[in-house]
Amino acid sequence: MTAEWIERFPGLSRLKPETKQQLLQRSAIVNVARDTVVFGPGKSPENMLFLLDGTVRVQQVSDTGREIVLYRIHAGESCVLTTACLLAYDDYSAEGIAETDVQAAAVPRDVFDDLVAQSKSFRSFVFAAFSKRITDLFLMVDEVAFQRIDVRLAHKLIELSEGRDTIATTHQKLSVELGTAREVISRQLQEFQRRGWIEQSRGTVAILSRAKLENLADKNL
């Protein structure tokens, strides 16, 4: 195995040569198919995963079946929930699902433990990524608890569009993204359509007035 994957993570690329060598010798490259459950509640992490390609969606499911997307892991990132579970020797409380085909470097738990204990650079990398994601999660909690749903939905539509005029999504998927009931999303989308900002069809939302949505989404700042 070459050292290429390590160099894709700025924090890891600064490790001492002997630490890099330990990572390379003890890790493995794994491939996960789209829609596969990477981890789930009640299971204990056996590896620290460093994502090389693809996207993993981390979401929480309540006892009543309500879902909310907590965050996504993209190429060049690690999973803060896995980090927390490894550090606390705890089980997962949420699930991670591969949104695309995924490739990752898997570092076994014992190697992770050794590096956290012995390598200051590795420790700094782990906690820097951990701190950033925790901050993002607090911002998400603030949005769910205090921000208006119309503002949050406008922001999410702009985000999901990625500059395109058509978004492939459903009311149910949007409700999971925003942590609210599908009926709430349906009512708000109908209001956006009444205003002439969007047009809905089965499985898609077409943006007709991006400027209006962006103006409303700016209230989320």
Side-chain angles (χ1 to χ4, degrees):
M1 185 188 300
T2 68
E4 289 182 359
W5 75 262
I6 290 180
E7 302 305 323
R8 297 179 61 178
F9 296 82
L12 298 183
S13 65
R14 294 192 291 269
L15 295 176
K16 294 180 179 179
E18 59 268 26
T19 305
K20 288 184 181 181
Q21 190 62 29
Q22 183 179 2
L23 271 176
L24 290 172
Q25 290 177 344
R26 300 289 302 281
S27 63
I29 301 298
V30 296
N31 293 283
V32 180
R34 179 178 180 174
D35 296 328
T36 299
V37 177
V38 181
F39 55 80
K43 296 183 178 180
S44 177
E46 298 302 323
N47 298 282
M48 181 69 177
L49 295 180
F50 295 91
L51 207 62
L52 304 178
D53 289 296
T55 303
V56 174
R57 181 179 73 252
V58 180
Q59 62 185 35
Q60 180 79 52
V61 182
S62 71
D63 293 338
T64 60
R66 179 73 62 81
E67 299 171 89
I68 182 172
V69 175
L70 300 176
Y71 58 90
R72 285 178 169 82
I73 313 164
H74 301 286
E77 297 177 344
S78 56
C79 177
V80 66
L81 182 58
T82 300
T83 301
C85 292
L86 286 169
L87 291 172
Y89 290 88
D90 204 355
D91 294 338
Y92 285 110
S93 58
E95 62 181 5
I97 300 172
E99 286 195 321
T100 64
D101 290 341
V102 164
Q103 185 177 71
V107 177
R109 176 193 286 273
D110 60 336
V111 177
F112 174 85
D113 289 343
D114 289 344
L115 290 178
V116 167
Q118 300 170 11
S119 172
K120 180 180 178 181
S121 296
F122 185 79
R123 221 168 27 247
S124 296
F125 166 81
V126 167
F127 286 111
F130 189 84
S131 299
K132 180 183 182 304
R133 187 65 76 181
I134 288 296
T135 301
D136 292 343
L137 285 173
F138 274 117
L139 291 174
M140 187 207 70
V141 170
D142 178 75
E143 288 182 1
V144 172
F146 304 114
Q147 295 286 350
R148 287 166 29 191
I149 191 62
D150 60 337
V151 174
R152 295 177 59 223
L153 179 57
H155 184 270
K156 181 57 65 174
L157 290 174
I158 294 299
E159 178 186 304
L160 293 176
S161 74
E162 298 181 332
R164 300 186 298 269
D165 292 331
T166 302
I167 307 165
T169 190
T170 65
H171 295 196
Q172 178 60 34
K173 288 180 180 179
L174 288 169
S175 72
V176 172
E177 292 282 349
L178 298 175
T180 190
R182 184 182 61 80
E183 294 77 10
V184 173
I185 296 298
S186 297
R187 286 196 297 270
Q188 193 57 62
L189 285 173
Q190 288 171 3
E191 176 60 21
F192 285 173
Q193 183 164 289
R194 185 191 67 78
R195 297 179 190 179
W197 296 0
I198 67 167
E199 185 173 60
Q200 302 180 74
S201 57
R202 187 175 181 84
T204 62
V205 175
I207 295 179
L208 303 181
S209 179
R210 182 176 296 273
K212 294 288 187 183
L213 286 174
E214 288 177 339
N215 184 58
L216 179 57
D218 284 343
K219 296 179 180 179
N220 200 34
L221 300 176

